[in-house]
């Protein structure tokens, strides 16, 4: 029995090996053939071992095998896979076969009576290459397993049903221009989903469909290479190459896939730069500031990127020191700028020799150079109407503070440097001289004082003088004038503060009661030095004396003792203080000294004198009489003031003349053309004549004449500016002066005139047009007005 069992086992092993050989060698196995082989294999049974005498052992009673099924079955009937059979199956239907595992019931079914397995769905090896299933034989009646569960595999056999695919396509690649033949561009790889271990279904070869003669592809590796030398990017930059991949090594019936490769030629520096012109003409106004752009030049380079980067330099020309050139990295142009100020009158044109060169050179292509170019730039300077220029950038002047009004202390000069050489007029920028301390002659540029200077008030003045062209007022030049006011000794010294000293009643002679210090607004070069003494009226003061310490301080010392509050409670001591500069100035200050009660140690106890009892010598009636007199006196004063104010009010009796306007009415009437004494113009030309004040012989004005004498330290006969400035300053500081300069106002025509009043105030009350025929009756002096406004006889005749 054992020999028979061994024989069966060997036969089963041979069948399994034969099935594998068929799977490996069969090119196109048919479904019928595979099915028969499977069936024959499945029908091989392993007989159960007979029951031994002492021990009965149950072995596996049914045989399974590894099954192979072709993918992509398109038949209408289920595909037979194989058969399961147990040796316990007597064919009476008592055994039930069940199937479990991957795809059981969905992809594969089993006939529970016969054990036949079928595929009920279309199988795709590229989706799943094999399925692991489990089979078991059960007692149909009881459902109890007759055999242990066994596992088997169903493998899906591949067919060529997938074409090669380029998963990353389309592709983009680049290769430098001017590359040599054989330069690698890109390697492509096509993927075939078929089984690479079975047949040639996944064996791929490559070919080029489009892109020759520039590129080629290696059939086995898929490497794209350059096949045409000296390809120029500037001629053609982009190429489209189509690559095809075939499976089954390209044999008949193979499947194919294609992809597109976009190849770009990258740039190399193989083109030298070139200027579009050999000569450029540019112009720039002479007023352009330093750093201004004059123009731009560009050397064109067919390359791009770093291969087209340029560097521009001025290599020659008479403008190398006047102009600069720089490179704009954005668009690679040369920017010409001004390095030094331009002057049309000094130089009208410049010539520059400019070179443009590549900064990145490729040594492989130096034979195509030189990689630089040169051009000439001619720059013309345009004349501009410039503002006048002062002969100095700034002025510094020192002026004594006691200089007379109208004194010329500096003369500035400005010229129009243009060809026209226009005349210049000077003025002071008023914001720089808000105090109106200075005045400048409009034509000569002479600076003079218009107000007294005071170093103690303003020690420095920074004024701006402007020069304007006569023919072009928009052209204005300016210069700064710094005026330092030099100190002169014009302030007397005085006590530093208000001093109030005290002296004890029991003070002895020679006692120091106060130390005084003086100050002086002046600032002499050698420093302050003061001299102290008692005023002449107090030189022989019997109570106190002064001691000068020669250090700008002084002591007040008592001359006697025994002071008494009852006799004299307060003493006033005048102190004379003088400085040591020329001219010497001095002032007198008063020191208040109070007599106080002190203790034995000198500490002040009280400085108030005891009240004295006034003798009662006046009766109550006398006091009332005194108060009544004072009241009557006050009433009389108020009455007098009221009468005076009413007397000054004008009495308007004529209703037509009651015009409410700001009219100042004077009793001063003009005397006509014969009046030569109202204002003496000769005083303008001879200031010394202004010392004699002339008055009208026929009237007395209520307003004091403005031509009062102003003392002048120095004034020449021709210095009209100084005289006018002095008069102007006098009017500015005079609080009683009218708000106009040297102006006489007349409300009526002179006495005896036939024209009566010339005021136009009454004319506004009439609604009719004026009739000016009466002008002809006024005499020859009004003939011109009569001709202009009157009606002639000829006009009347026409009507």
């Amino acid at each position: 029995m054992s020999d028979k069992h061994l024989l069966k086992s060997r036969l089963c092993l041979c069948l399994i090996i034969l099935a594998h050989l068929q799977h490996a060698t069969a090119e196109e196995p048919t479904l019928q053939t595979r099915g028969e082989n499977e069936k024959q294999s499945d029908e091989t049974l392993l007989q159960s071992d007979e029951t031994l005498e002492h021990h009965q052992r149950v072995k596996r009673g049914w045989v399974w095998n590894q099954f192979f099924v072709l993918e992509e079955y398109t038949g209408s009937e289920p595909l037979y896979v194989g058969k399961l059979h147990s040796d316990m199956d007597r064919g009476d239907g008592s055994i039930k076969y069940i199937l479990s595992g991957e795809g059981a019931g969905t992809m594969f079914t089993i006939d529970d009576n016969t054990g036949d397995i079928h595929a009920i769905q279309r199988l795709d090896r590229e989706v799943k290459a094999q399925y692991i299933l489990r089979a078991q034989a059960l007692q149909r009646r009881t459902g109890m397993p007759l055999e242990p569960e066994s596992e088997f595999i169903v493998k899906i056999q591949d067919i060529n049903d997938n074409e090669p695919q380029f998963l990353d396509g389309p592709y983009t690649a680049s290769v430098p221009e001017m590359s040599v033949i054989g330069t690698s561009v890109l390697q492509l790889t096509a993927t075939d989903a078929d089984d690479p271990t079975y047949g040639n279904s996944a064996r791929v070869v490559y070919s080029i469909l489009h892109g020759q003669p520039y590129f080629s592809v290696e059939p086995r590796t898929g490497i794209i290479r350059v096949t045409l030398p000296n390809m120029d990017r500037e001629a053609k930059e982009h190429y489209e190459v189509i690559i095809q991949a075939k499976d089954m090594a390209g044999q008949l019936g193979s499947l194919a896939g294609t992809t597109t490769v976009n190849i770009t030629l990258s740039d190399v520096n193989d083109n030298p730069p070139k200027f579009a012109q050999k000569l450029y003409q540019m112009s720039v106004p002479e007023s352009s500031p330093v750093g201004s752009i004059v123009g731009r030049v560009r050397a064109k380079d067919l390359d791009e990127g770093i291969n087209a980067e340029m560097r521009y330099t001025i290599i020659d020309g008479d403008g190398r020191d006047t102009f600069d050139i720089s490179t704009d990295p954005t668009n690679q142009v040369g920017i010409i700028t001004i390095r030094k100020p331009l002057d049309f009158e000094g130089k009208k044109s410049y010539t520059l020799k400019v070179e443009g060169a590549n900064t990145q050179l490729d040594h492989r292509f130096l034979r195509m150079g030189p990689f630089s170019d040169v051009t000439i730039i001619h720059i013309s300077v345009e004349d501009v109407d410039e503002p006048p220029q002062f002969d100095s950038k700034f002025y510094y002047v020192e002026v004594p503070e006691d200089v007379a009004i109208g004194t010329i202390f500096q003369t500035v000069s400005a010229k129009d440097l243009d060809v026209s050489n226009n005349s210049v007029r000077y003025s002071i920028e008023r914001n720089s001289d808000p105090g109106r301390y200075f005045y400048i002659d409009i034509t000569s540029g002479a600076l003079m004082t218009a107000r007294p200077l005071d170093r103690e008030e303003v020690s420095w003045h920074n004024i701006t003088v402007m020069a304007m062209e006569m023919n072009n007022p928009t052209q204005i030049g300016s210069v700064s004038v710094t005026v330092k006011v030099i100190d002169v000794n014009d302030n007397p010294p005085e006590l530093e503060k208000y001093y109030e000293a005290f002296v004890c009643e029991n003070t002895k002679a020679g006692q120091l009661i106060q130390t005084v210090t003086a100050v002086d607004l002046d600032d002499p070069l050698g420093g302050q030095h003061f001299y102290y003494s008692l005023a002449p009226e107090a030189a022989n003061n019997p109570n106190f004396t002064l001691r000068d310490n020669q250090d700008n301080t002084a002591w007040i010392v008592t001359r006697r003792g025994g002071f008494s509050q009852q006799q004299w409670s307060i003493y006033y001591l005048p102190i004379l203080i003088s400085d040591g500069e020329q001219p010497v100035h001095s002032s007198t200050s008063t020191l208040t000294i109070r007599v106080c009660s002190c203790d034995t140690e000198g500490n002040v106890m009280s400085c108030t004198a005891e009240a004295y009892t006034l003798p009662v010598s006046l009766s109550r009636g006398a006091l009332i009489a005194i108060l009544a007199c004072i009241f009557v006196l006050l009433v009389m004063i108020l009455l007098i003031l009221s009468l005076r104010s009413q007397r000054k009010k004008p009495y308007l009796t004529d209703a037509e003349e009651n015009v409410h306007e700001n009219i100042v009415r004077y009793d001063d009437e003009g005397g006509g053309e014969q009046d030569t004494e109202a204002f003496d113009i000769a005083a303008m030309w001879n200031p010394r004549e202004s010392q004699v004040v002339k008055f009208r012989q026929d009237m007395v004005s209520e307003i004091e004449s403005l031509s009062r004498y102003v003392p002048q330290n120095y004034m020449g006969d021709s210095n009209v500016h100084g005289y006018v400035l002095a008069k102007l300053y006098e009017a500015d500081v005079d609080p009683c002066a009218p708000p106009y300069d040297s102006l006489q106002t007349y409300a009526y025509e002179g006495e005896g005139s036939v024209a009566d009043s010339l005021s136009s105030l009454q004319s506004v009350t009439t609604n009719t047009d004026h009739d000016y025929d009466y002008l002809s009756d006024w005499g020859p002096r009004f003939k011109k007005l009569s001709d202009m406004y009157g009606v002639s006889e000829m006009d009347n005749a026409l009507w």
Side-chain angles (χ1 to χ4, degrees):
M1 178 67 74
S2 61
D3 294 337
K4 185 178 180 180
H5 179 72
L6 180 62
L7 179 61
K8 289 182 179 181
S9 300
R10 290 177 178 176
L11 180 59
C12 181
L13 179 63
C14 291
L15 290 175
I16 293 173
I17 295 173
L18 180 61
H20 277 283
L21 291 175
Q22 289 178 352
H23 173 71
T25 57
E27 292 293 330
E28 295 181 359
T30 63
L31 180 61
Q32 182 64 27
T33 302
R34 184 175 180 82
E36 292 176 355
N37 290 338
E38 296 286 356
K39 188 174 183 181
Q40 290 175 2
S41 177
D42 292 339
E43 289 176 353
T44 303
L45 302 177
L46 296 177
Q47 300 295 331
S48 302
D49 292 340
E50 295 180 0
T51 304
L52 299 179
E53 183 177 356
H54 301 288
H55 178 73
Q56 184 177 3
R57 181 170 61 89
V58 179
K59 289 187 176 182
R60 179 177 297 172
W62 56 282
V63 177
W64 58 272
N65 229 333
Q66 180 171 290
F67 303 112
F68 295 89
V69 181
L70 286 174
E71 65 172 335
E72 304 296 341
Y73 173 70
T74 58
S76 60
E77 297 295 330
L79 175 64
Y80 179 76
V81 178
K83 183 180 180 65
L84 296 178
H85 186 74
S86 175
D87 57 356
M88 294 183 181
D89 188 359
R90 305 301 182 188
D92 55 0
S94 61
I95 295 178
K96 179 182 179 180
Y97 297 95
I98 62 174
L99 189 67
S100 63
E102 296 177 343
T106 57
M107 301 294 294
F108 302 97
T109 60
I110 188 170
D111 190 331
D112 60 353
N113 290 321
T114 63
D116 293 335
I117 301 174
H118 292 82
I120 59 176
Q121 294 288 341
R122 183 177 178 179
L123 302 177
D124 189 354
R125 190 200 68 83
E126 289 72 34
V127 176
K128 191 171 180 62
Q130 65 180 18
Y131 295 87
I132 300 175
L133 299 172
R134 292 180 299 278
Q136 194 172 26
L138 304 176
Q139 180 66 38
R140 185 180 295 275
R141 184 175 58 83
T142 64
M144 298 298 293
L146 299 177
E147 301 289 345
E149 187 179 58
S150 299
E151 186 177 84
F152 64 96
I153 299 174
V154 177
K155 288 191 175 183
I156 311 303
Q157 189 172 4
D158 183 52
I159 64 173
N160 188 21
D161 60 341
N162 292 279
E163 72 279 0
Q165 294 181 353
F166 295 93
L167 301 180
D168 299 328
Y171 298 88
T172 301
S174 65
V175 63
E177 62 174 331
M178 299 294 175
S179 296
V180 297
I181 296 176
T183 301
S184 175
V185 179
L186 179 68
Q187 184 176 10
L188 302 179
T189 301
T191 302
D192 196 321
D194 294 326
D195 189 359
T197 64
Y198 179 74
N200 295 326
S201 298
R203 186 178 176 184
V204 180
V205 293
Y206 301 92
S207 62
I208 185 169
L209 300 182
H210 179 72
Q212 295 175 331
Y214 308 105
F215 301 96
S216 65
V217 63
E218 294 183 357
R220 298 187 61 185
T221 62
I223 298 176
I224 301 176
R225 297 186 182 275
V226 176
T227 57
L228 186 67
N230 299 327
M231 286 191 294
D232 191 2
R233 183 195 67 85
E234 289 74 30
K236 185 177 181 180
E237 183 176 4
H238 302 286
Y239 296 85
E240 184 180 75
V241 178
I242 300 177
I243 302 297
Q244 183 186 65
K246 283 188 175 183
D247 58 9
M248 296 184 65
Q251 297 177 4
L252 184 64
S254 61
L255 303 178
T258 61
T259 189
T260 301
V261 182
N262 295 311
I263 301 176
T264 301
L265 297 183
S266 59
D267 185 58
V268 298
N269 192 6
D270 59 340
N271 293 279
K274 293 292 181 183
F275 284 103
Q277 302 173 213
K278 289 300 181 183
L279 177 63
Y280 291 87
Q281 296 284 348
M282 298 181 183
S283 61
V284 57
E286 63 172 333
S287 60
S288 300
V290 174
S292 300
I293 296 176
V294 179
R296 294 174 173 84
V297 294
R298 180 183 180 185
K300 187 177 181 180
D301 194 330
L302 297 179
D303 298 322
E304 63 181 10
I306 61 173
N307 298 314
E309 290 183 357
M310 303 293 299
R311 181 181 64 252
Y312 295 92
T313 54
I314 300 175
I315 60 176
D316 199 3
D318 58 358
R320 296 180 62 180
D321 298 332
T322 308
F323 299 93
D324 277 333
I325 190 169
S326 60
T327 304
D328 185 353
T330 303
N331 48 22
Q332 302 299 321
V333 300
I335 302 175
I336 301 173
T337 56
I338 300 174
R339 184 176 181 182
K340 292 182 179 179
L342 303 177
D343 185 10
F344 174 82
E345 291 73 24
K347 189 172 179 60
K348 297 179 176 59
S349 64
Y350 297 88
T351 301
L352 304 177
K353 188 176 183 180
V354 175
E355 179 189 57
N358 286 138
T359 59
Q360 306 292 333
L361 298 180
D362 193 332
H363 298 283
R364 297 175 298 173
F365 306 104
L366 291 179
R367 66 183 185 277
M368 298 181 179
F371 288 86
S372 63
D373 196 15
V374 176
T375 188
I376 303 298
I377 301 175
H378 183 78
I379 302 176
S380 299
V381 180
E382 297 178 350
D383 187 24
V384 176
D385 190 6
E386 298 176 301
Q389 298 293 325
F390 286 88
D391 57 3
S392 178
K393 293 183 178 180
F394 67 93
Y395 294 89
Y396 172 78
V397 188
E398 294 182 353
V399 181
E401 63 176 327
D402 61 346
V403 66
I405 296 177
T407 301
I408 297 175
F409 60 87
Q410 178 68 43
T411 300
V412 298
S413 178
K415 294 182 180 180
D416 181 14
L417 301 180
D418 297 322
V419 177
S420 57
N421 192 17
N422 293 322
S423 299
V424 176
R425 294 294 180 264
Y426 302 93
S427 63
I428 295 177
E429 206 278 311
R430 283 307 174 189
N431 291 331
S432 65
D433 183 25
R436 304 294 193 269
Y437 286 97
F438 304 100
Y439 174 82
I440 189 170
D441 186 88
I442 191 171
T443 56
S444 65
L447 277 168
M448 59 190 74
T449 57
R451 293 184 58 186
L453 303 179
D454 189 356
R455 188 201 65 85
E456 290 73 32
E457 181 182 350
V458 182
S459 59
W460 290 86
H461 297 269
N462 293 308
I463 61 176
T464 300
V465 176
M466 299 182 296
M468 179 182 66
E469 291 185 12
M470 281 286 292
N471 296 338
N472 189 0
T474 61
Q475 296 299 326
I476 301 175
S478 62
V479 70
S480 177
V481 180
T482 301
V483 180
K484 180 181 179 181
V485 182
I486 304 300
D487 183 52
V488 296
N489 190 26
D490 58 346
N491 292 282
E494 56 187 14
L495 289 180
E496 181 182 15
K497 60 181 180 179
Y498 172 74
Y499 288 96
E500 184 173 343
F502 69 92
V503 60
C504 294
E505 291 181 318
N506 55 359
T507 298
K508 298 179 181 181
Q511 181 70 39
L512 173 64
I513 62 173
Q514 183 67 49
T515 300
V516 295
T517 303
V519 293
D520 193 338
L521 295 178
D522 295 324
D523 186 17
L525 296 177
Q528 302 283 4
H529 188 73
F530 304 127
Y531 300 93
Y532 299 88
S533 63
L534 295 178
E537 62 271 18
N540 298 321
N541 191 299
N543 302 311
F544 305 97
T545 185
L546 182 145
R547 183 181 300 172
D548 192 345
N549 297 323
Q550 302 298 318
D551 60 354
N552 291 339
T553 63
W555 290 350
I556 307 300
V557 181
T558 59
R559 276 190 172 181
R560 67 177 180 87
F563 292 93
S564 175
Q565 287 185 343
Q566 300 293 335
Q567 292 181 347
W568 208 272
S569 61
I570 298 177
Y571 294 90
Y572 298 100
L573 185 64
I575 301 174
L576 179 64
I577 310 171
S578 61
D579 54 26
E581 300 295 325
Q582 296 296 327
V584 177
H585 287 271
S586 62
S587 66
T588 301
S589 300
T590 301
L591 174 65
T592 302
I593 304 174
R594 294 182 179 273
V595 179
C596 302
S597 299
C598 303
D599 56 15
T600 57
E601 295 180 359
N603 298 321
V604 177
M605 297 176 59
S606 173
C607 293
T608 303
E610 297 181 0
Y612 291 95
T613 302
L614 294 176
V616 182
S617 58
L618 295 177
S619 63
R620 181 178 300 177
L623 291 176
I624 295 175
I626 294 173
L627 294 177
C629 292
I630 294 173
F631 178 76
V632 172
L633 182 61
L634 291 175
V635 171
M636 293 179 64
I637 293 174
L638 293 176
L639 183 59
I640 293 172
L641 294 177
S642 176
L643 292 175
R644 285 191 175 184
S645 61
Q646 292 181 2
R647 184 180 302 173
K648 291 184 178 181
K649 293 182 179 180
Y651 296 95
L652 299 177
T653 57
D654 191 354
E656 294 183 357
E657 291 181 342
N658 188 12
V659 180
H660 297 280
E661 293 188 7
N662 295 330
I663 304 173
V664 180
R665 194 164 184 176
Y666 303 93
D667 293 334
D668 182 7
E669 295 184 359
E673 295 182 357
Q674 288 79 13
D675 186 2
T676 60
E677 298 179 358
F679 188 81
D680 190 1
I681 195 63
M684 296 291 291
W685 303 106
N686 189 4
R688 295 186 180 90
E689 294 294 332
S690 62
Q691 301 180 19
V692 181
V693 181
K694 297 183 179 181
F695 298 97
R696 290 280 304 272
Q697 298 177 0
D698 57 346
M699 49 77 64
V700 178
S701 175
E702 292 183 356
I703 301 179
E704 185 178 0
S705 174
L706 292 177
S707 59
R708 293 174 294 176
Y709 170 66
V710 178
Q712 302 290 322
N713 293 333
Y714 170 78
M715 182 181 295
D717 293 342
S718 60
N719 190 1
V720 179
H721 281 301
Y723 177 75
V724 173
L725 291 174
K727 292 298 182 182
L728 180 61
Y729 174 72
E730 178 194 5
D732 290 338
V733 300
D734 188 358
C736 299
Y740 39 77
D741 301 330
S742 301
L743 178 65
Q744 297 291 340
T745 304
Y746 304 98
Y748 297 96
E749 177 65 13
E751 183 180 357
S753 173
V754 296
D756 295 331
S757 175
L758 296 180
S759 175
S760 61
L761 297 178
Q762 297 179 355
S763 61
V764 298
T765 59
T766 60
N767 297 326
T768 59
D769 295 336
H770 287 288
D771 184 7
Y772 295 101
D773 293 341
Y774 57 84
L775 293 176
S776 59
D777 301 331
W778 287 3
R781 296 181 180 178
F782 297 93
K783 184 178 185 304
K784 187 64 176 178
L785 290 175
S786 176
D787 294 340
M788 294 174 60
Y789 295 97
V791 179
S792 63
E793 297 179 358
M794 184 177 297
D795 296 336
N796 294 333
L798 293 176
W799 293 100

